[in-house]
Amino acid sequence: MEKVRVGLWGVCRAGWTMHRKEVARFSDILEIAGCCDIIPERMEKFCEEVPGCKAYPNIDDMLAAEDIDVISIATRSPDHVAHAIKALESGKYVFAEKPIGINYAEVLKLKAAADAHPGKLMCRQN
């Protein structure tokens, strides 16, 4: 069985600790294949510690990568909606970190994007 290949968008606290550990917990079906972060050194260190992980300094490159199946959003909370929508619009499956929106209007934007891409959005509520 082929593993689902995860692209981790954001490798700070949530990405480095929570998302990484959750993917590792299901290593029989999931693997981190790539990551993107605004701090290049943090991204490079993450890839050193995660075998097979490729650093993507440009998010558009990770979103276009054919060897990434799902984008796990672990960026700053105010960016979750915009980043989830961008990933959905790229055609990827999206695993959105909480909060899924800062306010109700943002959640409605995310819902509209999810409705336009049925079955592609999953929300993480730890």
Side-chain angles (χ1 to χ4, degrees):
M1 172 166 136
E2 272 193 50
K3 292 184 179 185
V4 175
R5 298 158 303 186
V6 177
L8 184 53
W9 192 351
V11 289
C12 193
R13 184 186 57 82
W16 195 288
T17 58
M18 294 181 280
H19 289 239
R20 177 183 172 191
K21 287 179 183 176
E22 288 169 358
V23 170
R25 186 172 159 214
F26 297 99
S27 62
D28 55 328
I29 59 171
L30 300 172
E31 67 183 354
I32 295 177
C35 71
C36 182
D37 195 272
I38 59 171
I39 299 175
E41 297 80 16
R42 186 166 56 202
M43 184 173 47
E44 290 166 13
K45 184 173 181 189
F46 185 87
C47 286
E48 287 173 10
E49 295 193 18
V50 178
C53 182
K54 178 180 177 184
Y56 288 91
N58 181 325
I59 189 58
D60 292 325
D61 293 338
M62 189 167 79
L63 294 176
E66 292 183 16
D67 63 344
I68 302 280
D69 303 308
V70 60
I71 300 296
S72 187
I73 307 291
T75 54
R76 296 175 338 112
S77 294
D79 297 326
H80 288 175
V81 169
H83 291 172
I85 290 171
K86 183 174 180 85
L88 284 168
E89 289 174 347
S90 78
K92 301 289 188 194
Y93 287 90
V94 176
F95 188 57
E97 171 67 42
K98 58 121 182 109
I100 60 168
I102 298 299
N103 55 47
Y104 186 63
E106 277 202 344
V107 174
L108 290 177
K109 280 187 199 176
L110 185 57
K111 181 186 181 316
D115 289 346
H117 304 277
K120 297 266 185 171
L121 178 64
M122 298 158 279
C123 297
R124 177 184 185 279
Q125 299 291 324
N126 63 333

